[in-house]
Amino acid sequence: MTAVPLSDDIALRIGLAARILPEIGVARLLRVLDSALGLPPTADTLERLRLRDLRQGADGALADLEPERLKDALAILRGEVGDTQPPPLPEPYVEGELPGSIRVACASDSGEQLDGHFGAARRFLVYQVSTAEIRLIEVREIDDGRAEDDRNSYRAGLIADCQLLYVASIGGPAAAKVVKVDVHPIRLGAGGEIREHLRALQDVLAGHAPPWLAKVMRQGVAPAGGAA
């Protein structure tokens, strides 16, 4: 395939989408986009891209891939996963400083927004949450190049010291990997400000927590610093 002129934004989208579809790669993904939309892809044409277009493009080159990964790639290609704000700075935290607290990982792509798809989020913001305080203790950047054969297990490992995962979107197989490391995934499709969701969690912690959450609270937390 001859070189395709791409804007910096579109080239970044395609590169990020290819990262979560490593068996496809950039060149093959461009062939799929050519089949579905024509080249060069633009912001306008990518906005019209649908899941079926990815599955059917280039004679079904992506048809056998897991639906959740295709959805994550689609979100990136359509520009729904952005990085308009840098992550916030973590706050000092000493283990045991917030008695009765739990640790919550939040999938994020921009600032302190809950806008991350599990398979495509660029970072996990990790908070220590008690009834009295919400403290951001770590920003864990994600490098899928270290995932070897299983991206979902790699990402789950990054948050294995947490008790809850807040995420905008997560597929069934990915959720199973998260549960396997004893983290409870909570999908909040509307997204929004992370701290708003955590304040709602504080209300639950202060009241009558459901049995699964009460059990988490009794178990306590592991030391900060996720798997790398």
Side-chain angles (χ1 to χ4, degrees), residues 2-227:
T2 58
V4 178
L6 300 172
S7 70
D8 290 344
D9 173 58
I10 299 304
L12 177 60
R13 292 189 203 182
I14 292 172
L16 290 172
R19 278 181 59 188
I20 64 171
L21 303 172
E23 63 273 77
I24 300 299
V26 171
R28 195 174 180 191
L29 181 55
L30 278 170
R31 288 197 291 273
V32 171
L33 294 177
D34 183 21
S35 175
L37 304 172
L39 295 180
T42 66
D44 288 339
T45 58
L46 288 172
E47 191 174 341
R48 299 195 298 269
L49 190 65
R50 298 292 181 266
L51 193 61
R52 65 175 178 274
D53 299 326
L54 285 181
R55 286 180 172 144
Q56 296 171 0
D59 298 321
L62 308 184
D64 295 332
L65 296 184
E66 299 96 320
E68 67 271 12
R69 282 209 287 153
L70 288 180
K71 290 177 183 177
D72 291 339
L74 178 64
I76 292 173
L77 290 169
R78 293 181 59 179
E80 296 170 359
V81 177
D83 196 13
T84 57
Q85 300 178 43
L89 294 176
E91 305 162 75
Y93 174 71
V94 176
E95 190 63 39
E97 192 174 354
L98 298 178
S101 63
I102 62 174
R103 190 162 295 160
V104 185
C106 299
S108 180
D109 290 301
S110 179
E112 236 175 328
Q113 294 292 312
L114 184 68
D115 56 0
H117 302 257
F118 181 80
R122 297 177 186 179
R123 60 188 64 94
F124 293 115
L125 306 185
V126 178
Y127 296 81
Q128 204 72 26
V129 182
S130 71
T131 57
E133 188 172 347
I134 297 168
R135 193 178 301 182
L136 174 66
I137 64 171
E138 277 196 79
V139 176
R140 298 178 186 172
E141 299 290 342
I142 299 169
D143 178 6
D144 284 324
R146 304 179 67 179
E148 298 181 352
D149 295 331
D150 191 336
R151 290 173 54 259
N152 288 335
S153 289
Y154 160 71
R155 287 176 174 246
L158 289 177
I159 58 171
D161 63 322
C162 300
Q163 284 71 55
L164 302 182
L165 166 66
Y166 281 7
V167 63
S169 177
I170 187 170
K177 298 289 186 179
V178 171
V179 171
K180 189 175 181 180
V181 296
D182 294 324
V183 179
H184 187 93
I186 298 177
R187 181 181 178 275
L188 296 167
E193 294 283 344
I194 288 173
R195 287 182 184 265
E196 289 187 9
H197 294 296
L198 296 181
R199 283 191 285 271
L201 175 61
Q202 284 183 305
D203 292 339
V204 174
L205 296 178
H208 297 287
W212 66 267
L213 184 53
K215 180 180 178 181
V216 165
M217 294 167 67
R218 288 194 299 271
Q219 288 172 341
V221 299

